[in-house]
Amino acid sequence: MKCVINEQVVLLRAPEGPLAAYVAAFSKWTDEQGYAPYSLHRRVRVAADFSRWLAQKAVRLRSVGSGHSAQYLRYRARRLRNCEGEATTLKQLLDFLRDRGAIPAEKRHRPRLSAVDRYAKSFERYLCEERNLAKATIVNYVPFIHAFLNDRFGNCPVTLSRLSAGNVVRFVQRQASLLHLKRAKLLTTALRAFLRYARYRGDIGLDLAAAVPIVANWSMSSIPRAIAPDQVRQLLASINRRTALGRRDFAILLLLARLGLRAGEVASLELDDVDWQAASLSVHSKGGRRLQLPLPTEVGEAIVAYLRHGRPTSSTSRRVFLRARAPIGGFLGAGTVGTIVRHAIQRAGIDAPTTGAHQFRHGLATDMLRHGASLAEIGELLGHRSPETTKIYTKVDLDALRTLALPWPGGAR
């Protein structure tokens, strides 16, 4: 006898087994995540079939765990060639049941950490809790330190008192030759931070941070690759703002182009960060800092258009920008914003300097400089901690800078 779940999903028979009472709730939750009708039906059917299989195995509700889902998948694989998506569905189902207390949380057996792993983890906690560094910075630093410790100690105990300046220099020399200049500089910065941390802990007595070689780098040798103003206009005009996806992407591109936000800053933007009364934006910037930026009318209107006519209403996420595909939620990271930029540039057929999001930040700074903004004003908008960071933009428009030069006394020579 057929069974209708939430007036949306039709099953050949009513759900049976230990999960039967939760199938309808799981169906409703799945629908709220934005899945298409076909995907919704498939997920509910998997949940019902899994519950029936559990009943055949005489598994009680409180005993259900990931081991049963693995057994079920092997059982299904022997009978059906295509079980695509079932593993993901079962993981979502078990998480759903755990969140509601229907089944107990599983005890995870953490793998035994090596001495190198433990020390790298300790350094990671220090960067997060004591230094309050941005997550992106920590993600970049820690692998370098893990590689350094592994190179020197391997599976042996980590005895930092045995480190010498030669160990540090040789590691940097080997690694730097394999890395891009920016990555090599990041390596040395991470290594200095780690060696200062080790000295702070008392694990080393010498100032080995001073022994870290300086990677050769000509100051301001490269000009930032900035997208041109006419390319920005062409790109924005190419977005189809009649669709929900187009309204979202248009608002994101405006935040990049008009405020020079980093991709990660756009991805982490939350509804409470927008002060509509004061027309300002509170941005989660690098190093855990908060920047208060003015919200231009054009940008505000684009965000409002997305919130009213594009952002899924079923989501409880506080993030401003949400994924377009189920499960609906905030972006997983800066990479999603970069993907949006890349696809928009490719669709518009624009020969931009790069396909990344950072070129808008460079483009904004370049355009401000050409219109007479000071380096201090540019640095304040972009959230630069050091004036040295902003100085690189003095190279982008020599023609504009020549107009600021004082005339030679006595006329031309």
Side-chain angles (χ1 to χ4, degrees):
M1 185 176 183
K2 290 184 179 180
C3 174
V4 180
I5 306 292
N6 295 335
E7 300 181 352
Q8 291 178 299
V9 180
V10 178
L11 300 177
L12 294 178
R13 51 179 168 169
E16 304 169 3
L19 310 184
Y22 294 91
V23 172
F26 179 66
S27 173
K28 181 180 179 182
W29 176 85
T30 304
D31 182 47
E32 291 171 349
Q33 301 308 303
Y35 285 100
Y38 169 76
S39 295
L40 171 64
H41 182 275
R42 183 161 55 87
R43 281 169 166 76
V44 174
R45 178 178 53 78
V46 169
D49 289 346
F50 180 52
S51 182
R52 190 175 301 111
W53 177 85
L54 290 171
Q56 293 170 0
K57 297 295 181 180
V59 179
R60 293 177 301 173
L61 176 62
R62 298 294 294 177
S63 301
V64 175
S66 299
H68 295 109
S69 65
Q71 293 177 36
Y72 174 74
L73 289 172
R74 289 194 293 269
Y75 162 81
R76 292 278 291 172
R78 291 194 296 268
R79 287 160 177 75
L80 295 174
R81 288 186 178 181
N82 186 11
C83 301
E84 184 179 355
E86 290 195 359
T88 300
T89 298
L90 289 178
K91 183 181 183 305
Q92 290 176 338
L93 174 61
L94 293 182
D95 288 343
F96 170 84
L97 294 171
R98 291 190 190 103
D99 289 343
R100 283 149 185 79
I103 62 176
E106 288 190 318
K107 295 180 180 179
R108 297 186 178 181
H109 299 285
R110 296 182 179 179
R112 186 180 180 86
L113 297 179
S114 68
V116 167
D117 292 333
R118 289 195 299 272
Y119 213 106
K121 284 286 185 184
S122 176
F123 178 59
E124 182 178 352
R125 287 194 297 271
Y126 164 77
L127 295 178
C128 179
E129 298 171 7
E130 301 293 330
R131 294 283 306 279
N132 195 30
L133 295 186
K135 183 178 179 181
T137 302
I138 297 173
V139 167
N140 278 310
Y141 278 16
V142 173
F144 284 133
I145 302 312
H146 194 282
F148 171 65
L149 294 174
N150 196 57
D151 177 77
R152 181 62 185 85
F153 300 104
N155 294 323
C156 300
V158 176
T159 310
L160 295 186
S161 58
R162 295 169 52 192
L163 284 176
S164 67
N167 299 143
V168 175
V169 172
R170 284 190 292 273
F171 176 77
V172 172
Q173 288 175 338
R174 288 196 305 270
Q175 296 297 316
S177 63
L178 305 174
L179 300 172
H180 185 277
L181 175 61
K182 288 185 177 180
R183 292 291 294 170
K185 287 175 67 63
L186 192 62
L187 162 65
T188 57
T189 302
L191 198 52
R192 289 190 192 97
F194 171 73
L195 292 171
R196 293 190 189 104
Y197 162 71
R199 193 180 185 193
Y200 162 76
R201 279 182 40 145
D203 293 337
I204 57 176
L206 300 175
D207 183 15
L208 291 182
V212 178
I214 297 175
V215 177
N217 178 39
W218 295 103
S219 178
M220 296 169 56
S221 60
S222 62
I223 298 175
R225 291 183 288 180
I227 188 169
D230 59 331
Q231 291 178 321
V232 173
R233 287 191 289 270
Q234 182 183 348
L235 180 63
L236 292 173
S238 71
I239 304 297
N240 181 8
R241 291 149 63 187
R242 293 186 296 273
T243 67
L245 191 62
R247 295 185 189 99
R248 184 200 68 179
D249 293 353
F250 183 73
I252 287 174
L253 290 170
L254 274 181
L255 283 167
L256 296 171
R258 301 293 188 254
L259 292 177
L261 298 190
R262 300 177 179 89
E265 293 168 347
V266 174
S268 62
L269 198 64
E270 299 192 350
L271 295 173
D272 296 331
D273 294 333
V274 186
D275 187 336
W276 299 107
Q277 295 296 326
S280 67
L281 205 61
S282 179
V283 178
H284 306 257
S285 191
K286 294 175 68 175
R289 294 182 300 149
R290 280 275 193 169
L291 296 179
Q292 292 295 135
L293 299 176
L295 182 64
T297 301
E298 179 188 20
V299 180
E301 290 175 347
I303 295 176
V304 168
Y306 168 65
L307 295 179
R308 287 180 174 173
H309 308 294
R311 189 177 184 274
T313 57
S314 60
S315 176
T316 59
S317 173
R318 299 300 296 170
R319 293 285 180 86
V320 172
F321 300 108
L322 305 181
R323 295 191 299 270
R325 293 183 178 179
I328 300 300
F331 295 163
L332 297 179
T336 305
V337 175
T339 300
I340 290 171
V341 171
R342 182 173 70 254
H343 288 168
I345 289 175
Q346 291 171 347
R347 284 194 301 268
I350 296 174
D351 185 20
T354 75
T355 57
H358 222 63
Q359 63 181 318
F360 293 95
R361 187 172 172 85
H362 296 321
L364 176 64
T366 302
D367 197 44
M368 289 177 66
L369 183 67
R370 287 172 177 163
H371 285 83
S374 67
L375 292 181
E377 291 170 330
I378 296 173
E380 183 178 1
L381 177 63
L382 298 185
H384 289 162
R385 284 185 171 181
S386 170
E388 295 299 319
T389 307
T390 317
K391 273 187 179 179
I392 194 168
Y393 294 110
T394 60
K395 295 189 64 179
V396 299
D397 193 354
L398 294 179
D399 291 335
L401 291 176
R402 287 190 185 102
T403 64
L404 303 179
L406 295 174
W408 186 267
R413 295 279 181 177

